[in-house]
């Protein structure tokens, strides 16, 4: 039995084992890939928006006055 380096991941949709050789990797099938895309499109995965406005309001505290 030859030692073969194979990457295996679980399909993020149905948790089925998928090898890197799979054309739909990391999904087990085109169906699961579509489901995942649909999740993104419908906003199931929400990326928290970062309020960059507050950046300027934060005072730069310097540790220099410690000594
Ligand atoms: Zn799947």
């Amino acid at each position: 039995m030859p030692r073969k380096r194979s990457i295996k991941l679980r399909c993020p949709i149905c948790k089925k084992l998928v090898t890197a050789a799979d054309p739909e990797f990391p999904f087990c099938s085109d169906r699961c890939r579509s489901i995942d895309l649909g999740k993104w499109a419908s906003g199931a995965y929400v990326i928290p928006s970062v309020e960059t406005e507050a950046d300027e309001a934060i005072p730069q505290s310097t540790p220099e006055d410690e000594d």
Side-chain angles (χ1 to χ4, degrees):
M1 187 172 165
R3 194 175 291 177
K4 208 170 164 186
R5 185 182 294 178
S6 60
I7 301 169
K8 281 183 185 173
L9 283 180
R10 287 193 183 275
C11 172
I13 304 302
C14 68
K15 309 303 179 190
K16 183 180 169 184
L17 269 178
V18 189
T19 63
D22 196 293
E24 304 298 338
F25 184 84
F27 303 99
C28 71
S29 64
D30 184 56
R31 192 179 124 94
C32 282
R33 181 190 293 275
S34 298
I35 292 172
D36 189 70
L37 284 172
K39 277 191 178 180
W40 279 98
S42 63
Y45 296 143
V46 178
I47 301 168
S49 59
V50 181
E51 298 290 335
T52 50
E53 280 179 50
D55 280 0
E56 291 176 51
I58 300 171
Q60 294 286 321
S61 57
T62 53
E64 283 177 26
D65 59 349
E66 212 171 286
D67 199 356

